[in-house]
């Protein structure tokens, strides 16, 4: 896919992860014991052979810049091309919506040698090969290809954009805020089109003030040949605390983690240098991810521990997610909770949520 | 321009004969340790943490894996515009190819590498030992003593003095005598094979040694005794912390087991002295619903479905359901089937242990399993 430019569009992040996005954008929320949400989309692009990738940042992007660095971990520190983080500019503009961020970096899109672009959101969890979709796009002679999935029970906790597709595979309707549609198919928010069409959309939108990628597509749904490409593998849309919690817990199911992490295509992330996790004599761990650098003296059940977490004696962690460098004191009990980075739960404290309403402790809090 | 006060020469060509099958395809410094490391990580991290960022790594025996592993040195922050890590293998010159015939000869053949940095001091270390040491402290003492050579020494049990090069020192820490593996030692200060030389003195004695036809061109056996004879200013630097030569299967196993104590004498978690290593991209480790893990180290990329007690598990290891692993070291990408019992063993990289195998026992010797096992 040498001829395709990748764009991860963080200009239009849907949903809210509440406490987890106080200090970071959605795409950089930690996930599955060592990743950030963006790792999945970025790795998919790299694994599909895309060599130029732009990240359109909107706000709270310190964390994502720190995470991505020079793009080395994704093999994107290239002499030519590679990773480009494109931050927003703060001049006053009448045009609103995510296309304004494309417009602000018009030069980047004009200069790129690729004929095509693949635009994706940054908070979709999947291990997808985009190459068959690109092949499909060319074969159908499509103006735009949208990757979609069938709606199933697994998806009920997230707000997916519904998509209507006719028997010939043509997209007939896409949902937006104004228009709801009935369909059993949902968009994975991955679009393939010619760069020329994107430039045209940017140009038109700056003239008439209508500036969303999605609306520009919807507006032209009759005029353009928009096709749907069906993807069958595991997919999650992390757009709320509930979906974050549920899909994190999904990761403990062997079929799901094998689908995501044991493909020939690996998910890459920023490597850290922690020693292996240390389990002491009193530890009792079942059904869990335990990141490197952890020190476990207590009981951990059905949980995900990121790197460098300390669980002291007698502490009991159940059905919970504990992020980097947090510390759980002696005899503390954590159940159905999400603890952000560097939180400290002192001895004997109980932090207990509900299965459908996990208790969230924000970054650096001390209880 | 950096001043290159001290350049390190890291001897990494050791064959490690006593490690048997573990060093069939790799040099001793490349042998795995502690769930994610190779032995050489300790010396390279010590260099990086001590601020010595120009390191020549002398390789000879089975260098491929080691070369690949070290790469441009970025894992240890040693990928520098000036200096950084340089692999120094034996090379061909006008008069033909010369293998490194001894530790001293290896450095002698790379004097041109040292010359380009014009450093005042040279640190000679080996990649065979596990320890954390700040070489800057040793260098400071070397300068304060106005020494020409400083050798790092450690107290060893008297009954083991016969295995080491023993230093006899005076009250001012001046080395007055050196005995290689003495039968009746008069001191229990063993050389750790860590030397700081003034570059000019080192050059002088390496050239002398090269022309000595009786010499085996070894630092301990030839160069240091010659320097003592030449009344060079030679001092001992006392090191009192953890230092281990993991030269045998038993000592390698012991060193791994020591990491599992509640207060291990070697702390891999120390924030101010990190041990760097290459971090391959691995998914988080999965501890299964019926797994039991006690007193162990478990690295990323492993899958534990059985029982693990007092063991060290490297990345990519897979431990099947109902298997029980005790007092063992499971190296990278080992696949252990279901219902396997392993006791006091080292399972070498990529080995495959079929279902129902029974390896080792509580009382016996440490067992080394090298490759794929047939049926049990």
């Amino acid at each position: 896919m040498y001829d395709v430019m990748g764009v991860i569009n963080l200009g239009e992040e849907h949903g809210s992860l509440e406490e987890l996005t106080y200090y970071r954008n959605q795409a950089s929320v930690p996930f599955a014991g060592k990743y950030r949400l963006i790792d999945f989309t970025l790795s998919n692009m790299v694994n599909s052979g895309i060599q130029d990738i732009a990240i359109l940042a909107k706000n709270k992007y310190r964390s994502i810049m720190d995470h991505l660095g020079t793009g080395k971990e994704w093999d994107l520190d290239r002499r030519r091309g590679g990773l480009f983080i494109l931050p927003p500019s703060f001049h006053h503009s009448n045009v609103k919506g995510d296309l304004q961020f494309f417009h602000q970096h018009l030069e980047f899109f004009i200069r790129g040698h690729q004929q095509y672009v693949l635009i994706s959101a940054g908070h979709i969890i999947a291990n997808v090969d985009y190459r068959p979709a690109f092949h499909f796009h060319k074969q159908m002679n499509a103006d735009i290809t949208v990757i979609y999935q069938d709606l199933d029970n697994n998806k009920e906790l997230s707000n997916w954009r519904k998509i209507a597709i006719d028997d010939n595979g043509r997209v007939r309707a896409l949902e937006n805020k104004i228009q709801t549609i009935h369909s059993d198919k949902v968009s994975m928010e991955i679009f393939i089109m010619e760069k020329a069409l994107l430039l045209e959309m940017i140009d038109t939108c700056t003239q008439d003030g209508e500036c969303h990628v999605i609306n520009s597509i919807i507006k032209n749904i009759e005029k353009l040949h928009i096709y749907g490409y069906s993807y069958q593998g595991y997919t999650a849309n992390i757009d709320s605390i509930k979906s974050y919690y549920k899909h994190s817990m999904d990761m403990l199911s062997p079929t799901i983690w094998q689908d995501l992490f044991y493909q020939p295509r690996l998910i890459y992330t920023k490597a850290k240098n922690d020693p292996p996790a240390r389990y002491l004599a009193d530890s009792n761990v079942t059904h869990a991810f335990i990141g490197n650098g952890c020190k476990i003296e207590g009981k951990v059940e059905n949980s995900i521990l990121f790197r460098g977490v300390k669980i002291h004696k007698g502490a009991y962690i159940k059905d919970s997610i504990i992020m980097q460098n947090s510390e759980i004191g002696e005899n503390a009990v954590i159940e159905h909770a999400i603890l952000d980075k560097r939180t400290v739960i002192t001895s004997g404290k109980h932090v207990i949520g509900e299965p459908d309403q996990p208790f969230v402790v924000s970054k650096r809090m001390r209880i | 321009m950096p001043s290159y006060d001290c350049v390190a020469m890291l001897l990494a060509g050791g064959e490690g004969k006593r490690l048997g099958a573990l060093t069939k395809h790799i040099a001793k410094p490349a042998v795995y340790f502690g769930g994610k490391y190779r032995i050489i990580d300790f010396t390279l991290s010590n260099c990086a943490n001590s601020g010595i960022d120009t390191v020549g790594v002398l390789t000879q025996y089975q260098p491929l894996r080691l070369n690949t592993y070290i790469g441009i040195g970025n894992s240890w922050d040693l990928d520098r515009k000036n200096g950084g890590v340089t692999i120094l293998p034996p090379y061909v010159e006008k008069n033909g190819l010369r293998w490194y015939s001894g530790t001293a000869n290896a450095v002698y053949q790379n004097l041109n590498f040292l010359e380009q940095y014009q450093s005042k001091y040279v640190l000679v270390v080996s990649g065979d030992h596990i320890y954390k040491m700040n070489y800057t402290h040793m260098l400071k003492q070397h300068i304060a003593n106005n020494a020409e050579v400083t050798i790092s020494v450690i107290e060893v049990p008297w009954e083991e003095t016969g295995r080491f090069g023993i230093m006899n020192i005076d009250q001012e820490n001046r080395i007055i005598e050196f005995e290689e593996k003495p039968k009746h030692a008069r001191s229990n200060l063993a050389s750790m094979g860590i030397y700081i030389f003034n570059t000019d003195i080192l050059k002088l004695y390496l050239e002398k040694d090269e022309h000595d036809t009786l010499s085996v061109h070894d630092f301990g056996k030839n160069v240091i005794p010659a320097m003592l004879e030449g009344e060079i200013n030679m001092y001992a630097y006392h090191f009192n912390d953890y230092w281990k030569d993991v030269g045998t299967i038993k000592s390698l196993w012991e060193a791994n087991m020591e990491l599992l104590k509640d207060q291990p004498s070697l702390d891999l978690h120390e924030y101010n002295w990190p041990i760097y290593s290459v971090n391959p991209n691995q998914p988080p480790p999965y501890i299964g619903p019926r797994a039991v893990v006690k007193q162990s180290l478990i690295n990323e990329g492993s899958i534990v479905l059985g029982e693990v007690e007092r063991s060290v598990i490297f990345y990519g290891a897979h431990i099947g359901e109902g298997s029980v692993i005790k007092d063992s070291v499971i190296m990278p990408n080992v696949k252990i089937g279901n219902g396997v019992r392993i006791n006091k063993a080292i399972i070498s990289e990529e080995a495959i242990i079929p279902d129902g195998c029974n390896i080792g026992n509580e009382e016996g010797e440490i067992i080394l399993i090298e490759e794929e096992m047939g049926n049990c």
Side-chain angles (χ1 to χ4, degrees):
Chain A
M1 285 177 80
Y2 179 71
D3 210 15
V4 181
M5 175 191 276
V7 181
I8 302 182
N9 179 12
L10 311 183
E12 185 89 341
E13 290 193 327
H14 293 283
S16 163
L17 290 177
E18 298 162 42
E19 286 92 339
L20 302 183
T21 45
Y22 279 179
Y23 304 103
R24 52 172 90 88
N25 56 27
Q26 214 168 324
S28 98
V29 168
F31 188 75
K34 68 176 287 190
Y35 303 94
R36 305 281 179 147
L37 297 182
I38 198 169
D39 290 339
F40 293 85
T41 302
L42 194 56
S43 302
N44 289 338
M45 286 185 173
V46 170
N47 290 334
S48 305
I50 297 180
Q51 298 176 342
D52 273 19
I53 298 173
I55 315 283
L56 282 172
K58 184 182 175 187
N59 50 26
K60 298 184 195 171
Y61 50 85
R62 180 204 59 80
S63 157
I64 206 120
M65 288 183 71
D66 178 19
H67 180 67
L68 298 173
T70 58
K72 190 175 174 1
E73 307 285 354
W74 296 265
D75 216 8
L76 288 172
D77 56 332
R78 304 288 94 202
R79 264 190 200 288
R80 285 182 164 213
L83 181 72
F84 299 86
I85 301 175
L86 307 178
S89 10
F90 284 95
H91 63 79
H92 261 290
S93 160
N94 292 329
V95 281
K96 296 272 181 285
D98 57 346
L99 266 174
Q100 68 171 301
F101 304 112
F102 288 76
H103 182 248
Q104 286 166 358
H105 296 286
L106 205 55
E107 181 66 20
F108 175 83
F109 295 99
I110 292 170
R111 213 192 277 173
H113 67 78
Q114 293 88 347
Q115 194 185 340
Y116 300 91
V117 288
L118 184 148
I119 305 173
S120 172
H123 56 276
I124 303 289
I125 302 299
N127 189 336
V128 203
D129 187 348
Y130 298 139
R131 282 169 294 195
F134 181 53
H135 184 68
F136 170 87
H137 178 80
K138 290 210 281 197
Q139 208 177 27
M140 299 306 279
N141 217 351
D143 292 315
I144 299 175
T145 297
V146 188
I147 304 183
Y148 73 90
Q149 281 219 311
D150 295 335
L151 191 63
D152 53 28
N153 302 338
N154 184 41
K155 297 196 170 58
E156 61 197 14
L157 283 176
S158 311
N159 274 312
W160 291 88
R161 185 189 308 285
K162 292 216 175 84
I163 180 170
I165 291 169
D166 70 14
D167 294 340
N168 302 319
R170 254 189 90 169
V171 175
R172 288 300 172 190
L174 269 160
E175 204 168 44
N176 66 1
K177 278 180 192 141
I178 308 154
Q179 183 198 11
T180 51
I181 59 173
H182 293 285
S183 169
D184 57 352
K185 295 180 172 55
V186 294
S187 155
M188 280 174 69
E189 302 300 89
I190 302 164
F191 307 97
I192 302 170
M193 65 183 88
E194 278 201 37
K195 193 175 78 178
L197 177 60
L198 174 69
L199 289 173
E200 197 187 303
M201 276 161 51
I202 297 170
D203 193 43
T204 335
C205 96
T206 42
Q207 284 165 23
D208 58 16
E210 169 59 75
C211 260
H212 292 269
V213 177
I214 192 70
N215 291 343
S216 300
I217 294 173
I218 292 171
K219 213 166 58 180
N220 292 307
I221 217 154
E222 293 304 323
K223 215 164 66 190
L224 297 172
H225 287 90
I226 306 178
Y227 283 90
Y229 176 83
S230 155
Y231 172 71
Q232 306 292 343
Y234 178 86
T235 306
N237 173 0
I238 310 298
D239 63 350
S240 66
I241 289 289
K242 276 185 188 174
S243 69
Y244 177 84
Y245 181 71
K246 179 192 181 289
H247 293 299
S248 292
M249 288 304 162
D250 276 359
M251 295 300 123
L252 291 173
S253 140
T255 48
I256 293 175
W257 58 249
Q258 285 197 333
D259 187 28
L260 280 176
F261 304 124
Y262 285 83
Q263 296 278 356
R265 304 178 303 274
L266 294 174
I267 304 300
Y268 298 98
T269 189
K270 181 179 177 182
K272 291 287 186 173
N273 193 61
D274 299 83
R278 237 180 108 198
Y279 298 72
L280 283 92
D282 295 326
S283 73
N284 184 345
V285 179
T286 50
H287 208 214
F289 282 164
I290 308 286
N292 275 10
C294 284
K295 189 177 165 191
I296 315 288
E297 290 180 89
K299 189 175 177 188
V300 180
E301 213 177 281
N302 206 32
S303 293
I304 294 176
L305 270 54
F306 286 69
R307 64 184 176 83
V309 172
K310 289 191 181 63
I311 308 289
H312 289 282
K313 275 192 187 140
Y316 180 32
I317 318 298
K318 189 172 181 278
D319 303 312
S320 292
I321 298 156
I322 304 182
M323 294 186 194
Q324 299 91 302
N325 297 313
S326 293
E327 189 163 352
I328 313 299
E330 286 185 17
N331 302 316
V333 178
I334 316 286
E335 222 180 293
H336 299 295
I338 302 170
L339 275 54
D340 205 332
K341 286 168 74 173
R342 297 184 184 279
T343 50
V344 177
I345 309 298
T346 51
S347 299
K349 289 287 183 307
H350 288 213
V351 176
I352 305 208
E354 297 293 323
D356 56 351
Q357 198 77 53
F359 193 98
V360 184
V361 181
S362 64
K363 204 170 161 181
R364 283 195 303 275
M365 274 262 280
R366 194 185 165 87
I367 295 184
Chain B
M1 279 292 285
S3 59
Y4 305 116
D5 261 355
C6 185
V7 168
M9 296 298 263
L10 200 168
L11 303 163
E15 188 179 337
K17 281 202 183 90
R18 290 173 300 155
L19 284 169
L22 283 180
T23 50
K24 196 152 76 181
H25 305 295
I26 54 178
K28 182 177 166 191
V31 167
Y32 290 106
F33 175 78
K36 73 176 285 198
Y37 308 94
R38 293 183 190 256
I39 297 173
I40 198 171
D41 284 331
F42 290 84
T43 317
L44 284 172
S45 300
N46 287 341
C47 284
N49 291 333
S50 303
I52 296 175
D53 58 11
T54 306
V55 183
V57 181
L58 300 124
T59 60
Q60 174 156 291
Y61 175 78
Q62 288 284 8
L64 175 64
R65 297 279 287 277
L66 199 54
N67 291 353
T68 316
Y69 185 70
I70 295 171
I72 56 167
N74 53 321
S75 297
W76 304 269
D77 223 359
L78 289 171
D79 54 329
R80 298 300 172 88
K81 274 212 186 300
N82 300 300
V85 80
T86 308
I87 308 255
L88 303 169
Y91 54 91
V92 179
E93 49 173 301
K94 269 258 175 331
N95 306 323
L97 168 73
R98 296 174 63 206
W99 295 105
Y100 296 153
S101 57
T103 51
N105 175 257
V107 176
Y108 171 79
Q109 288 202 45
N110 288 289
L111 282 176
N112 56 353
F113 167 79
L114 281 175
E115 267 157 23
Q116 57 179 333
Y117 295 108
Q118 300 285 327
S119 72
K120 203 163 173 209
Y121 308 102
V122 180
L123 169 76
V124 176
V125 284
S126 89
D128 291 351
H129 301 120
I130 290 167
Y131 65 109
K132 297 198 282 188
M133 176 171 174
N134 192 336
Y135 302 130
T136 319
H137 294 165
M138 184 173 165
L139 183 62
K140 274 187 187 150
Q141 192 203 288
H142 178 83
I143 294 168
N145 284 340
N146 212 1
E148 288 164 301
V149 181
T150 300
I151 302 177
S152 183
V153 297
I154 189 163
E155 283 184 34
V156 294
W158 281 96
E159 60 273 19
E160 286 181 29
T161 46
R163 287 176 42 215
F164 293 94
I166 297 295
M167 303 286 168
N168 298 328
I169 61 171
D170 69 9
Q171 281 156 346
E172 279 153 4
N173 278 327
R174 203 183 283 266
I175 297 173
I176 45 173
E177 200 184 359
F178 172 79
E179 296 175 284
E180 182 73 14
K181 299 181 180 162
K183 282 208 176 77
H184 305 286
R186 274 176 287 148
S187 133
N188 65 339
L189 293 176
S191 162
M192 295 161 68
I194 302 167
Y195 311 97
I196 290 177
F197 298 100
N198 285 6
T199 311
D200 48 347
I201 295 289
L202 177 67
K203 220 176 128 185
L204 186 72
Y205 275 84
L206 285 181
E207 275 161 3
K208 264 194 201 170
D209 177 72
E210 189 58 22
H211 296 108
D212 180 353
T213 46
L214 295 175
S215 170
V216 294
H217 310 301
D218 183 83
F219 275 105
K221 290 189 186 107
N222 310 106
V223 178
I224 300 301
M227 285 177 165
L228 272 174
E229 222 164 273
E231 299 195 344
I232 292 293
N233 246 344
M234 193 182 290
Y235 283 85
Y237 171 79
H238 293 267
F239 183 74
N240 309 316
D241 218 325
Y242 184 91
W243 178 80
K244 185 124 187 161
D245 179 4
V246 286
T248 61
I249 296 290
K250 184 160 179 275
S251 64
L252 180 66
W253 178 83
E254 279 169 2
N256 275 289
M257 292 302 123
E258 277 167 23
L259 296 172
L260 306 176
K261 289 180 184 159
D262 272 4
Q263 304 288 336
S265 19
L266 179 75
D267 183 6
L268 296 171
H269 284 67
E270 193 185 339
Y271 183 78
N272 293 320
W273 206 266
I275 302 304
Y276 299 108
S277 65
V278 174
N279 291 292
N281 184 54
Q282 296 282 342
Y286 178 68
I287 312 296
R290 280 180 291 281
V292 181
V293 182
K294 279 195 189 316
Q295 224 178 336
S296 295
L297 285 180
I298 298 191
N299 197 4
E300 290 181 342
S302 52
I303 299 171
V304 179
L305 304 176
E307 224 173 283
V308 175
E309 205 173 324
R310 291 185 305 277
S311 294
V312 175
I313 315 289
F314 282 74
Y315 57 80
H318 184 296
I319 295 163
E321 297 221 17
S323 290
V324 182
I325 317 295
K326 281 186 181 167
D327 302 295
S328 294
V329 179
I330 312 295
M331 288 187 172
N333 302 318
V334 167
K335 302 283 171 267
I336 296 172
N338 301 332
V340 171
R341 266 162 214 283
I342 299 179
N343 250 304
K344 284 180 84 173
I346 296 178
I347 313 293
S348 185
E349 192 181 6
E350 315 272 345
I352 298 171
I353 314 290
D355 292 354
C357 276
N358 211 331
I359 296 166
N361 60 61
E362 277 158 49
E363 279 85 47
E365 289 276 294
I366 311 305
I367 291 182
L368 172 69
I369 303 293
E370 32 170 330
E371 276 152 14
E372 186 172 345
M373 287 182 77
N375 289 328
C376 291

